[in-house]
Amino acid sequence: VISWGIPGTAMQGLWMLSEAQVNQVIKYVRSIGTVKEDPVTGDPLKGLALFQKSNCLSCHSVKGRGSNIGPDLSGVGTRRGNSYLNEMLVEPGKQKIRDEEGFIQFLVIEVKTRDGKLIKGLRVNEDTYTIQMKDVEGRLYSFRKDNLASIKRIPEASLMPSFAQTLTHEERQDIVAYLLTQK
């Protein structure tokens, strides 16, 4: 497939690559999208109970249940590993998810209207002239940029709270164990 492509699709053949180069491409492709298997010490059933008690579905969704303010966690167990999920519970703004063009998804922004109203939420869409966002209650807003007093992008921020102080290490491990079952 790498050497000759797939006829009728955008996958062109790379016939000019040597066998060693094709093997390098194969090795690279197999490495992307894999999740490092870290040992899981938590209890997924306790994690589910804590996930529900912590009201995670008020921002996230799992298999069609919940909200769409934060990332959908359906299938998160196939995309993320133990270390990543633990880090998100402790420092949720540290790592950013980027789309195909490299733009930060779930970017926290603050807009100030000309009448002084301050609205904080997540950027949904932005172009040269407009910006759309949703607040923590899920209300959608659309603004013409020239009608705003200011737009502040806060890439290091997250609307998700840190659970470093509110949950013990064991409780966070339980939630991670639950999330890793979502495949």
Side-chain angles (χ1 to χ4, degrees):
V1 170
I2 293 169
S3 295
W4 303 112
I6 302 173
T9 71
M11 176 64 188
Q12 298 180 11
L14 300 173
W15 54 268
M16 71 295 280
L17 296 180
S18 69
E19 186 175 338
Q21 289 171 320
V22 168
N23 285 330
Q24 287 176 326
V25 171
I26 291 169
K27 185 177 180 183
Y28 170 73
V29 169
R30 286 183 176 160
S31 74
I32 58 176
T34 59
V35 176
K36 183 181 175 213
E37 294 293 330
D38 295 333
V40 179
T41 59
D43 179 338
L45 291 177
K46 288 181 183 177
L48 171 59
L50 282 165
F51 186 84
Q52 292 169 337
K53 180 182 173 189
S54 299
N55 207 19
C56 298
L57 289 177
S58 66
C59 292
H60 297 281
S61 61
V62 175
K63 297 180 182 168
R65 292 184 48 240
S67 178
N68 66 352
I69 295 171
D72 180 6
L73 299 176
S74 305
V76 72
T78 59
R79 297 186 312 272
R80 305 290 183 211
N82 186 350
S83 298
Y84 179 91
L85 293 172
N86 267 299
E87 184 174 55
M88 289 299 97
L89 290 173
V90 174
E91 295 182 78
K94 187 171 181 182
Q95 293 191 41
K96 293 298 178 181
I97 301 169
R98 296 184 180 268
D99 65 15
E100 300 82 33
E101 287 84 33
F103 293 103
I104 296 173
Q105 294 182 330
F106 308 102
L107 176 67
V108 176
I109 61 172
E110 281 183 356
V111 299
K112 187 174 186 180
T113 62
R114 292 203 185 269
D115 62 358
K117 184 177 180 184
L118 191 65
I119 304 168
K120 185 175 183 176
L122 297 175
R123 178 183 64 188
V124 173
N125 189 40
E126 181 176 6
D127 61 29
T128 305
Y129 305 104
T130 65
I131 190 164
Q132 292 77 40
M133 64 182 293
K134 62 182 162 184
D135 65 15
V136 292
E137 282 81 37
R139 289 184 294 245
L140 294 171
Y141 298 85
S142 183
F143 300 102
R144 287 193 49 83
K145 290 180 178 179
D146 59 0
N147 290 335
L148 293 172
S150 66
I151 302 171
K152 182 178 178 184
R153 293 163 188 81
I154 315 169
E156 69 280 359
S158 174
L159 294 182
M160 182 172 143
S162 170
F163 290 95
Q165 305 301 317
T166 56
L167 295 175
T168 66
H169 175 74
E170 291 76 22
E171 289 172 325
R172 291 192 307 270
Q173 284 296 111
D174 291 341
I175 289 177
V176 168
Y178 162 68
L179 291 173
L180 290 172
T181 66
Q182 300 307 303
K183 297 187 179 202

